[in-house]
């Protein structure tokens, strides 16, 4: 809400602007910006035109003599014609720079000297009007700076009025707050119009057919008006508050809106068919053209203001073109109503309209202002547009304005704030804000809420009134007196922390990416996927909720490659989102926290000390194994084949817990996916299900005694066929009870081995827990292993 | 006898000279064999002892033993000296180039700045006894708005631009009202209270939130941390004390806090909380110039807070006559921007490694 201090000062005495801004902010009406107008017009003064003759050599120019207050007439050449000798006009003196950047210097125009320039409103940056000189009010004194003469030197506040405070959406509303905060009296604008002629009720009838949506509809009739432009002061007031001036009658309704906060609407009464106003629900399929020129199809939930034949306004939102005030309007019907906030809001939303009127009605207009605003408006129309106000208000008061009362117990502020507020202070503060004490006893008092404070309904609201007046600084600082208790760290948070450390230790860097992604990213990733979609995404790029975090990481990797970073290790802990399968609707979707990582480029950073080998599957697997180890998860890796759509079938693994639960997948991304994400071949990715990991985790390890008896070490090299998995071989080795540990330390292919064969070299540690193992026992165990391998996987001992 | 003693004498002298000129360990070994070996010079002398009268033998034997000890000592000393020289020669050799960079088998990993700051915020409240909790990001309208005293058709809904979920994509069956991407972490207040069943409750809820807004200072996804404390006798003074303690712990010991009245539908009374500017220390001036971070005000708005609205307590079945509570919320990115001096919110989500690697 823009507030003009010049205007505001008509209702209350103001402190200096800085102090006023501080006080308003302190009571919850934050002043977000301060603007000073009338700047940049130094050197422009009021001047009286003493004489004007035609330029001897130029048809369109005149040579004037003007008085700028020093008694020495000045010659100025001028191109305008809209003035008369004796008028007061703005003179830009030599040396002045106008707001548009024009610098005024002594000039010769077609041979005639000119000592300055007479200005239009546009040249002064005051309005778009360039049709002629700006004619100043006749009471201006020559020589007065133009900013003073036009009262341009104003200070404008941009006040952030929160949605609960519709009462502060006007100059009077802000003045009320200033008066309460500074303890100065409030001066209300005069209201009552002078009336004449036959009663208004004979000119128009008002009927409310939807009383649940319109609590009151009052109207006045002004006849014999002349439509024309508003006086400058009025236009300027509107413009400073961001409203375009249109015509005197319309401008007055807007002026009263900004002054008193109550939205009004003016109709051309001669266009009201049947001389009847009906407040009713729109009919199905009904159409109306609103003032913005759009034809709208109305909804039966819309409340309209109609005449006998058709609707002529969206109630509380916008008028219709049919009954608009126009140049020929003679009889005006002024509407002042109270519409139900939710109705106005729904209609405004439905039609995509947000107007000064809807803004106030949907927050709650002051029911006590209906007739006061109407009177003020009618009086101003009669004053500025001529005409006579017909006696009386046509008032269809479907129900009386409610009187809200709220009880405040004397001890409640102390209970809620930790600061006792004395009864005397409570009375002073609430009284100053317009609350009326109805009855009181030892326990508390009942307060009648002023009609404009639609936000105050419960005891806590009254406590807030106290605090915002006293200021939060008076409340002490304490700490809650709670039972001393320290909650345990939840296992899922512990698991998350360990996962991070494990991945970061492997060189992965966390990224944070949007949870919504382009649908084609998911489609490329997992063809046929059906993600949860947004109704109103910002763009198609952010349209569906990701079912996997990997696509976001691939995008990030591709982005960084474009920045020249071929090597990256990225991870993210976030949720993947899925539609629900079951009947339970709370929560509305499935959210699966996942651990995702992507690896591209070199294994090690470019360095003299490392080789430049590209990362491969086992680099990623190493990182995954570290995560599993950090969580104490016993897992197995198995060939995924084509089970994971986004992985290369020849380099894809599933991770399962020891009891078979699927923990996730890892591998090289599918060539199709690489292509879709603009990545090279060989990019590695994994995604693990955080909940499944947690379920399989053992965060507190169990202790095993350190062996006291010596071990026997034996190496074993066996040759097997290529498809035989390393894990199958080591598992067979472990079947031997004396084996404590087996480490695969070499894999060899090539001569002298036959094609399709590979040699696996194993370091085996034998140990018995109850005795020192003899060489003979170890040899026997070793032989059993060789025999088992030969039998099970066709292994041959390598010579 | 004198002859034998003379031979021993010259043997000792010869050993002294020879060991002094021995060049290495091998030469020393040769000397040991030459002087002390079975066929060495000392043995040769001792063999001559048989010809001596018995009375003279002990005397000669005594001298021979002394000479043996002398020679052994000479050889050992020379050996030590040679080893010392060799070590010194090794130590004096060319040094390696310590300026060559260290060996990194993997790049340096790390955490996103938003996570770092979120963990710092949450950590302060964990030390104050708050339990970390969370809730879904795809949320029912009821939790995100209704239960928080933001009814449908209420203008307070305009305070947050909401993403709505297409219900047809949520699976079969009827929905319980609109489904949204949560616009704040405040719905976790409701879920936490329902989960707890009854006070006391003290939770801190970090999480991702979504608003349909995108420019230099707005991101469609960002992070908030929400706090809630409900019990008997909780006051606004407790809220002030708690947030003042947080501000000192997070921003530094000298940090001051300021509460200003404001409006959030789920609290009453409500406040915006400012902390003294972290850049200029609250003076509004930095190096004699206007402080741009706080726009010369000396204060930074960082938190929203207030006393839990009684309607919320009633909505979750708590007794507003008996229990009171406070709630607060803050934007993690805002805190991170202040902590690191970052001026463009979008950097957090672009994930340029040149940005991320700075933290
Ligand atoms: Zn500052």
């Amino acid at each position: 809400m823009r507030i003009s201090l010049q205007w505001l000062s008509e209702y209350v005495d103001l402190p200096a602007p800085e102090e006023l801004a501080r006080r308003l902010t302190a009571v919850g009406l934050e002043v977000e910006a301060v603007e000073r107008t009338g700047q940049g017009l130094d050197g422009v003064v009021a001047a009286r035109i003493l004489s004007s003759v035609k330029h001897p050599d130029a048809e369109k120019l005149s040579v004037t003599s003007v008085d700028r207050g020093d008694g020495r007439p000045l010659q100025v050449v001028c191109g305008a014609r809209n003035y008369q000798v004796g008028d007061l006009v703005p003179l830009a003196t030599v040396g002045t720079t106008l707001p548009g950047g024009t610098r005024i210097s002594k000039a010769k125009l077609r041979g005639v000297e000119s000592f300055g320039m007479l200005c239009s409103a546009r040249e002064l940056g005051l309005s778009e009007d360039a049709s002629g000189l700006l004619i100043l009010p006749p009471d201006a004194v020559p020589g007065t700076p133009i900013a003073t003469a036009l009262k341009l030197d104003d200070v404008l506040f941009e006040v952030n009025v929160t949605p609960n405070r519709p009462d502060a959406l006007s100059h009077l509303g802000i003045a009320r707050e200033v008066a309460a905060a500074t303890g100065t009296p409030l001066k209300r604008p005069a209201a009552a119009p002078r009336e004449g002629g036959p009663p208004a009720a004979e000119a128009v009838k008002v009927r409310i057919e939807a009383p649940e949506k319109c609590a009151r509809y009052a109207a006045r009739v002004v006849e014999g008006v002349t439509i024309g432009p508003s006086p400058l002061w009025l236009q300027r007031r509107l413009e400073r508050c961001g409203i375009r001036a249109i015509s005197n009658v319309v401008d007055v309704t807007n002026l009263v809106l900004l002054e008193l906060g109550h939205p009004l609407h003016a109709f051309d009464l001669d266009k009201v068919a049947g001389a009847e106003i009906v407040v009713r629900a729109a009919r199905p399929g009904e159409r109306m053209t609103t003032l913005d020129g759009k034809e709208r199809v109305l909804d039966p939930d819309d409340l309209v203001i109609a005449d006998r034949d058709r609707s002529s306004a969206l109630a509380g939102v916008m008028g219709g073109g049919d009954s608009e005030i126009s140049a020929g309007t003679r009889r005006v019907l002024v509407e002042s109503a109270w519409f139900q906030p939710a109705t106005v809001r729904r209609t405004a939303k439905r039609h995509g309209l947000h107007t000064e009127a809807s803004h106030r009605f949907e927050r709650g207009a002051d029911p006590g202002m209906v007739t006061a605003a109407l009177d003020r408006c009618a009086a101003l129309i009669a004053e500025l547009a001529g005409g006579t106000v017909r006696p009386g208000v046509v008032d269809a008061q479907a129900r009386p304005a409610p009187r809200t009362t709220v009880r405040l117990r004397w001890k409640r502020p102390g209970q809620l704030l930790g600061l006792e507020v004395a009864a005397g202070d409570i009375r002073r503060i609430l009284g100053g804000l317009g609350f009326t004490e109805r009855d009181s006893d030892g326990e508390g008092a009942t307060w009648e809420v002023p009609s404009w404070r639609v936000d105050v309904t419960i005891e806590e609201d009254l406590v807030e009134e106290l605090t915002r007046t006293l200021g939060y600084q008076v409340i002490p600082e304490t700490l809650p007196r709670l039972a001393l208790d320290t909650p345990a760290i939840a296992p899922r948070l512990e698991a998350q922390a360990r996962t991070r450390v494990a991945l970061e230790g492997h060189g992965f860097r966390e990224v944070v990416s949007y949870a919504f992604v382009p649908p084609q990213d998911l489609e490329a990733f997992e063809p046929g996927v059906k993600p949860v979609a947004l109704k109103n995404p910002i763009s198609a790029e952010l349209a569906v909720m990701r079912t996997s975090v990997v696509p976001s990481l691939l995008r990030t990797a591709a982005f960084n490659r474009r920045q020249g970073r071929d090597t990256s290790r990225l991870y993210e802990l976030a949720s993947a989102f899925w539609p629900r399968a079951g009947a339970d609707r709370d929560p509305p979707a499935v959210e699966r926290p996942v651990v995702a990582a992507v690896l591209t480029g070199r294994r090690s950073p470019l360095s003299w000390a490392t080789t430049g080998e590209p990362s491969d599957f086992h680099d990623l697997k190493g990182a995954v194994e570290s995560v599993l180890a950090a969580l104490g998860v016993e897992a197995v890796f198995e060939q995924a084949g084509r089970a994971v759509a986004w992985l290369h079938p020849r380099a894809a693994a599933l991770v399962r817990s020891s009891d078979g639960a699927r923990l996730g997948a890892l591998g090289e991304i599918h060539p199709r996916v690489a292509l879709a994400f603009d990545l090279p071949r060989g990019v590695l990715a994994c995604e693990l299900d955080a909940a499944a990991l947690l379920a399989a985790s053992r965060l507190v390890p169990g202790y095993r005694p350190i062996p006291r008896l010596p071990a026997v070490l034996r190496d074993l090299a066996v040759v097997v066929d290529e498809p035989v998995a390393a894990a199958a071989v080591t598992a067979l080795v472990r079947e031997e009870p004396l084996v404590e540990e087996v480490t695969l330390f070499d894999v060899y292919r090539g001569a002298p081995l036959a094609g399709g064969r590979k040699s696996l070299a194993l370091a085996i540690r034998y140990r018995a827990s109850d005795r020192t193992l003899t060489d003979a026992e170890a040899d026997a165990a070793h032989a059993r292993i060789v025999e088992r391998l030969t039998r099970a996987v066709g292994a041959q001992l390598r010579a | 006898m004198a002859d034998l003693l003379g031979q021993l004498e010259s043997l000792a002298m010869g050993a002294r000279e020879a060991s002094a000129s021995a060049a290495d360990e091998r030469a020393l070994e040769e000397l040991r064999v030459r002087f002390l070996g079975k066929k060495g010079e000392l043995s040769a002398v001792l063999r001559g002892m048989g010809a001596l009268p018995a009375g003279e033998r002990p005397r000669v034997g005594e001298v021979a033993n002394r000479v043996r000890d002398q020679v052994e000592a000479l050889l050992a000393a020379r050996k030590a000296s040679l080893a010392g020289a060799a070590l010194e020669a090794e130590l004096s050799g060319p040094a390696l180039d310590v300026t060559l960079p260290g060996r990194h088998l993997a790049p340096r990993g790390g955490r996103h700045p938003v996570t770092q700051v979120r963990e710092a915020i949450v950590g302060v409240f964990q030390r104050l006894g708050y339990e970390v909790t969370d809730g879904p990001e795809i949320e029912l309208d009821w939790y995100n708005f209704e239960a928080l005293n933001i009814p449908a058709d209420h203008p307070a809904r305009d305070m947050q631009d909401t993403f709505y979920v297409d219900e047809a994509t949520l699976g079969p069956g009827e929905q319980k009202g609109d489904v949204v991407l949560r616009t704040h972490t405040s719905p976790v207040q409701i879920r936490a209270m329902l989960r707890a069943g009854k006070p006391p409750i003290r939770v801190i809820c970090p999480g991702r939130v979504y608003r349909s807004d995108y420019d230099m200072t707005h991101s469609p996804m960002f992070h908030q941390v929400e706090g809630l404390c409900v019990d008997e006798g909780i006051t606004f003074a407790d809220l002030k004390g708690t947030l003042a303690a947080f501000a000192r712990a997070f921003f530094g010991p000298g940090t001051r806090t300021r509460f200003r009245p404001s409006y959030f539908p789920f609290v009453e009374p409500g406040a915006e909380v400012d902390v003294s500017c972290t850049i200029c220390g609250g003076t509004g001036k930095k190096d004699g110039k206007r402080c741009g971070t706080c726009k010369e005000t000396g204060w930074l708005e960082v938190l929203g807070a207030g006393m839990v609205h009684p309607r919320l307590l009633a909505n979750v079945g708590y007794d507003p006559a008996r229990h009171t509570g406070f709630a607060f919320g803050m934007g993690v990115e805002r805190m991170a921007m202040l902590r690191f001096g970052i001026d463009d919110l979008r950097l957090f989500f672009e994930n340029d490694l040149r940005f991320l690697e700075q933290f």
Side-chain angles (χ1 to χ4, degrees):
Chain A
M1 170 86 203
R2 276 167 83 80
I3 293 293
S4 149
L5 297 202
Q6 208 178 72
W7 190 355
L8 190 65
S9 67
E10 293 183 5
Y11 313 124
V12 66
D13 292 338
L14 300 180
E18 296 71 26
E19 172 63 9
L20 181 62
R22 200 188 61 74
R23 301 288 283 261
L24 284 173
T25 301
V27 297
L29 296 165
E30 188 186 358
V31 177
E32 288 185 320
V34 179
E35 184 194 327
R36 286 167 198 278
T37 63
Q39 312 283 300
L41 288 174
D42 295 346
V44 183
V45 299
R48 188 183 302 281
I49 298 174
L50 302 173
S51 67
S52 173
V53 296
K54 269 211 155 136
H55 191 289
D57 282 330
E59 183 66 19
K60 291 187 172 164
L61 296 181
S62 307
V63 181
T64 66
S65 170
V66 302
D67 166 25
R68 52 165 176 173
D70 59 1
R72 287 178 296 168
L74 208 62
Q75 176 170 294
V76 181
V77 177
C78 164
R81 302 199 157 177
N82 67 322
Y83 59 86
Q84 291 170 351
V85 170
D87 277 351
L88 280 147
V89 294
L91 166 70
T93 53
V94 170
T96 302
T97 303
L98 291 177
T102 313
R103 195 176 156 76
I104 308 300
S105 48
K106 202 174 85 174
K108 256 190 181 169
L109 293 157
R110 294 255 181 145
V112 178
E113 285 199 306
S114 181
F115 299 88
M117 179 174 135
L118 305 182
C119 305
S120 70
R122 182 155 81 181
E123 283 156 344
L124 297 178
L126 300 178
S127 80
E128 288 306 301
D129 187 358
S131 62
L133 299 185
L134 174 63
I135 309 296
L136 303 177
D139 58 351
V141 177
T144 314
I146 200 73
T148 312
L150 287 174
K151 294 190 180 153
L152 296 177
D153 41 357
D154 198 354
V155 181
L156 300 177
F157 278 4
E158 186 62 49
V159 183
N160 175 17
V161 179
T162 51
N164 58 325
R165 294 296 307 275
D167 64 293
L169 289 169
S170 67
H171 284 75
L172 182 69
I174 298 285
R176 222 159 24 208
E177 288 286 316
V178 175
T182 58
T184 45
L186 182 69
K187 292 167 268 183
R188 286 167 176 281
R194 275 216 320 260
E195 301 173 327
E202 291 174 14
V204 69
K205 298 264 176 293
V206 173
R207 187 152 50 86
I208 300 176
E209 283 187 1
E212 73 289 352
K213 290 182 174 178
C214 175
R216 190 168 183 190
Y217 194 102
R220 269 191 181 273
V221 174
V222 189
E223 289 179 326
V225 301
T226 308
I227 303 299
S230 301
L232 261 183
W233 66 265
L234 203 172
Q235 293 191 23
R236 224 163 23 236
R237 278 198 173 172
L238 297 185
E239 279 156 11
R240 278 186 203 161
C241 295
I243 293 182
R244 198 164 52 90
I246 294 166
S247 70
N248 44 15
V249 169
V250 176
D251 292 353
V252 165
T253 61
N254 285 326
L255 183 84
V256 176
L257 172 119
L258 294 175
E259 181 182 56
L260 304 179
H262 199 85
L264 302 161
H265 190 66
F267 296 94
D268 184 333
L269 184 52
D270 289 325
K271 294 180 195 158
V272 175
E276 185 184 33
I277 292 286
V278 184
V279 185
R280 60 163 170 84
R283 306 209 162 97
E286 190 172 355
R287 287 165 187 272
M288 186 201 323
T289 303
T290 40
L291 278 176
D292 53 5
K294 286 207 179 106
E295 189 187 46
R296 298 172 187 278
V297 179
L298 305 183
D299 187 282
D301 183 51
D302 291 330
L303 184 70
V304 297
I305 311 302
D307 58 17
R308 185 192 61 205
D309 301 336
R310 60 196 157 168
S311 57
S312 52
L314 279 173
V317 181
M318 189 177 268
D322 290 346
S323 58
E324 197 180 346
I325 300 289
S326 60
T329 300
R330 300 288 298 155
R331 301 167 73 225
V332 174
L333 178 129
V334 185
E335 158 200 304
S336 182
W338 196 93
F339 300 115
Q340 210 265 323
T343 296
V344 174
R345 182 174 166 81
R346 283 199 301 272
T347 293
K349 285 252 145 187
R350 188 176 295 127
H351 296 287
L353 289 166
H354 184 96
T355 62
E356 295 280 347
S358 72
H359 189 76
R360 285 164 178 80
F361 277 126
E362 69 180 34
R363 282 159 175 72
D366 174 4
M369 190 55 86
V370 173
T371 49
L374 184 60
D375 288 351
R376 171 82 171 144
C377 183
L380 276 172
I381 289 175
E383 184 187 326
L384 300 176
T388 312
V389 181
R390 278 206 176 197
V393 173
V394 184
D395 192 349
Q397 188 173 340
R399 61 189 146 176
R403 293 265 169 213
T404 308
T405 56
V406 179
R407 187 160 173 81
L408 177 65
R409 290 163 290 167
W410 304 121
K411 64 175 175 29
R412 191 57 178 164
Q415 286 173 345
L416 209 56
L417 302 177
L419 170 82
E420 306 288 338
V421 184
D425 289 332
I426 291 175
R427 291 194 164 104
R428 178 178 53 80
I429 292 167
L430 293 181
L433 290 167
F435 291 82
T436 316
E437 189 175 335
R438 280 296 167 225
D439 54 65
S440 69
D441 51 36
E443 194 214 9
T446 301
W447 296 87
E448 186 177 310
V449 179
S451 63
W452 58 87
R453 290 304 302 273
V454 294
D455 59 315
V456 176
T457 56
I458 59 172
E459 191 174 30
E460 285 73 11
D461 294 329
L462 292 179
V463 175
E464 181 173 58
E465 293 304 298
L466 302 178
T467 55
R468 73 183 185 94
T469 306
L470 290 168
Y472 280 123
Q473 72 280 357
V474 301
I475 297 177
E477 287 180 5
T478 57
L479 283 174
R481 286 181 301 275
L482 289 167
L484 195 60
D485 186 21
T486 299
I489 300 287
R492 88 192 139 75
L493 298 176
E494 174 67 22
Q496 210 175 74
R498 292 193 199 181
T499 302
R500 288 180 182 284
V501 171
L503 287 171
E504 286 159 11
H506 272 265
F508 286 81
R509 192 159 281 279
E510 186 192 17
V511 305
V512 173
S513 47
Y514 292 143
F516 18 57
V517 296
Q520 68 268 22
D521 276 18
L522 298 182
E523 182 65 30
F525 200 66
E526 197 146 24
V529 69
K530 292 255 186 305
V532 173
L534 298 183
K535 258 186 205 162
N536 57 335
I538 282 191
S539 72
E541 295 288 283
L542 308 171
V544 298
M545 302 303 286
R546 57 188 176 186
T547 52
S548 164
V549 175
V550 173
S552 307
L553 294 183
L554 295 178
R555 275 210 171 224
T556 303
F559 168 80
N560 278 291
R561 276 174 58 81
R562 288 197 296 278
Q563 316 307 317
R565 295 290 292 263
D566 292 345
T567 292
S568 57
R569 294 187 174 202
L570 311 172
Y571 85 92
E572 182 166 6
L573 305 187
S575 282
F577 302 87
W578 292 90
R580 270 215 170 277
D584 187 13
R585 296 286 129 194
D586 180 9
V590 173
E591 300 186 18
R592 216 160 46 79
V594 300
V595 181
V598 158
L599 221 165
T600 69
R602 301 160 54 98
R603 172 170 299 148
S604 306
L606 179 64
S607 157
W608 66 276
T610 55
T611 58
E613 289 157 355
S615 306
D616 66 21
F617 176 89
H618 292 92
D619 290 297
L620 178 62
K621 185 177 175 184
V624 169
E625 284 170 335
S626 285
V627 171
L628 296 171
L631 303 181
V633 174
E634 301 230 358
V636 292
F637 292 76
E638 58 186 50
Q639 299 288 351
R642 291 176 192 268
V644 182
W646 47 277
L647 289 177
H648 194 304
R650 293 175 61 188
L654 288 176
V655 193
R656 289 193 189 280
S657 68
S658 48
D659 58 7
R662 181 163 160 174
L663 303 178
L666 70 152
E668 184 182 325
I669 60 168
H670 198 287
R672 164 178 52 78
V673 175
L675 192 67
F677 285 86
D678 195 22
L679 285 166
R681 290 288 195 98
V683 171
L684 303 149
C686 74
E687 187 159 82
L688 305 172
D689 183 320
L693 283 178
L694 183 62
S697 70
R698 184 169 185 181
L699 296 177
V700 181
Y703 156 80
R704 285 188 316 271
I706 295 170
R708 299 286 171 199
L709 297 165
V712 178
L713 305 177
R714 290 276 189 281
D715 285 355
L716 174 65
V718 289
V719 178
V720 292
D721 284 339
E722 193 62 65
V724 174
V729 172
T730 51
L732 285 166
V733 173
R734 283 204 187 85
E735 282 181 17
E736 170 57 44
L738 289 176
V739 169
E740 183 184 65
E741 189 170 293
V742 54
T743 307
L744 177 65
F745 68 89
D746 190 37
V747 180
Y748 177 78
R749 298 176 176 86
L753 302 180
R757 300 277 279 173
K758 63 185 174 188
S759 159
L760 305 176
L762 308 163
I764 304 171
R765 192 163 70 217
Y766 298 94
R767 199 194 306 266
S769 57
D770 55 348
R771 63 187 188 281
T772 298
L773 216 54
T774 63
D775 277 352
E777 284 178 292
D779 289 343
H782 208 66
R784 284 195 295 274
I785 287 171
V786 172
E787 204 254 38
R788 195 175 284 127
L789 290 176
T790 308
R791 189 158 28 83
V793 294
Q796 290 177 338
L797 212 52
R798 191 170 171 206
Chain B
M1 178 174 107
D3 185 34
L4 280 180
L5 290 177
Q7 285 178 30
L8 286 171
E9 182 78 0
S10 65
L11 187 154
M13 194 170 304
R16 185 168 291 119
E17 281 166 13
S19 71
S21 59
D24 54 23
E25 264 196 62
R26 218 179 106 215
L28 282 173
E29 181 57 23
E30 281 166 8
L31 288 182
R32 199 189 63 77
V33 173
R34 177 181 143 199
F35 291 112
L36 306 176
K38 280 186 185 157
K39 295 176 183 166
E41 292 182 18
L42 185 63
S43 299
V45 174
L46 291 176
R47 271 195 297 277
M49 264 174 53
L52 286 181
E56 291 180 358
R57 282 181 200 162
R59 168 85 180 114
V60 173
E62 190 186 320
V63 172
N65 278 340
R66 206 178 63 231
V67 167
R68 174 188 295 275
D69 290 349
Q70 273 174 6
V71 172
E72 277 179 347
L74 278 168
L75 292 174
R78 181 60 185 163
K79 187 176 176 181
S81 149
L82 282 173
L87 179 63
E88 184 49 39
E90 186 205 322
L91 296 181
S92 308
L96 62 80
D97 182 358
V98 297
T99 67
L100 273 173
R103 181 178 283 110
H104 296 270
L105 297 180
R108 194 172 65 87
R111 216 157 286 191
H112 195 282
V114 166
T115 305
Q116 292 182 24
V117 169
R118 193 190 69 208
E119 287 175 343
I121 295 168
V122 170
V124 172
F125 288 102
Q126 282 182 305
R127 296 196 290 280
L128 284 170
Y130 284 69
E131 186 176 3
V132 182
T133 187
D134 59 12
E137 294 169 37
I138 298 181
E139 187 55 287
L140 287 167
D141 184 281
W142 189 80
Y143 291 98
N144 195 73
F145 292 123
E146 288 284 336
L148 290 168
N149 195 30
I150 314 173
D153 303 324
H154 193 280
R157 293 220 172 183
D158 290 345
M159 295 168 90
Q160 301 164 359
D161 294 313
T162 309
F163 284 115
Y164 289 89
V165 170
D166 181 353
E167 284 149 45
T169 64
L170 282 171
E174 284 291 300
Q175 293 300 330
K176 297 178 180 170
D178 282 345
V179 176
V180 302
L181 299 189
R182 68 176 176 196
T183 56
H184 44 189
T185 40
S186 307
V188 188
Q189 286 187 32
I190 303 294
R191 289 190 177 272
M193 285 195 281
L194 287 172
R195 219 161 2 201
K198 60 177 185 359
I201 182 162
R202 207 172 359 169
V203 291
I204 191 85
C205 333
R208 297 182 178 206
V209 300
Y210 304 86
R211 291 189 196 170
S212 110
D213 210 347
Y214 188 41
D215 58 36
M216 248 186 68
T217 51
H218 296 93
S219 165
M221 183 188 89
F222 57 101
H223 296 77
Q224 282 186 339
V225 173
E226 188 94 2
L228 174 72
C229 173
V230 181
D231 201 355
E232 281 180 39
I234 298 292
T235 66
F236 202 101
D238 295 332
L239 169 62
K240 279 189 74 176
T242 299
L243 292 185
F246 163 73
R248 288 190 298 267
F250 184 82
F251 290 110
T255 310
R256 288 164 291 125
T257 46
R258 180 176 79 169
F259 284 63
R260 285 181 290 110
S262 190
Y263 169 68
F264 305 98
F266 33 95
V267 288
E268 186 79 339
E272 265 169 0
V273 187
D274 302 335
V275 296
S276 49
C277 178
T278 52
I279 302 300
C280 64
T283 60
K285 293 268 187 292
K286 177 82 179 164
D287 306 327
K289 288 199 219 78
R290 176 177 189 278
C291 173
T293 305
C294 62
K295 300 194 182 77
E296 225 171 345
T297 61
W299 294 98
L300 300 169
E301 184 186 322
V302 293
L303 281 141
M307 299 303 290
V308 177
H309 198 290
R311 226 162 277 155
L312 262 70
L313 298 174
N315 283 341
V316 297
Y318 290 13
D319 180 4
R322 208 178 129 203
H323 294 114
T324 51
F326 62 73
F328 55 86
M330 65 192 102
V332 180
E333 282 78 3
R334 164 101 174 124
M335 301 298 233
M337 288 169 91
L338 290 174
R339 173 164 281 196
F340 301 121
I342 297 164
D343 54 3
D344 187 343
L345 181 64
R346 291 172 293 199
L347 284 168
F348 288 123
F349 306 104
E350 207 172 62
N351 294 310
D352 191 319
L353 284 167
R354 293 167 299 181
F355 172 75
L356 297 178
E357 284 169 358
Q358 296 176 33
F359 302 97

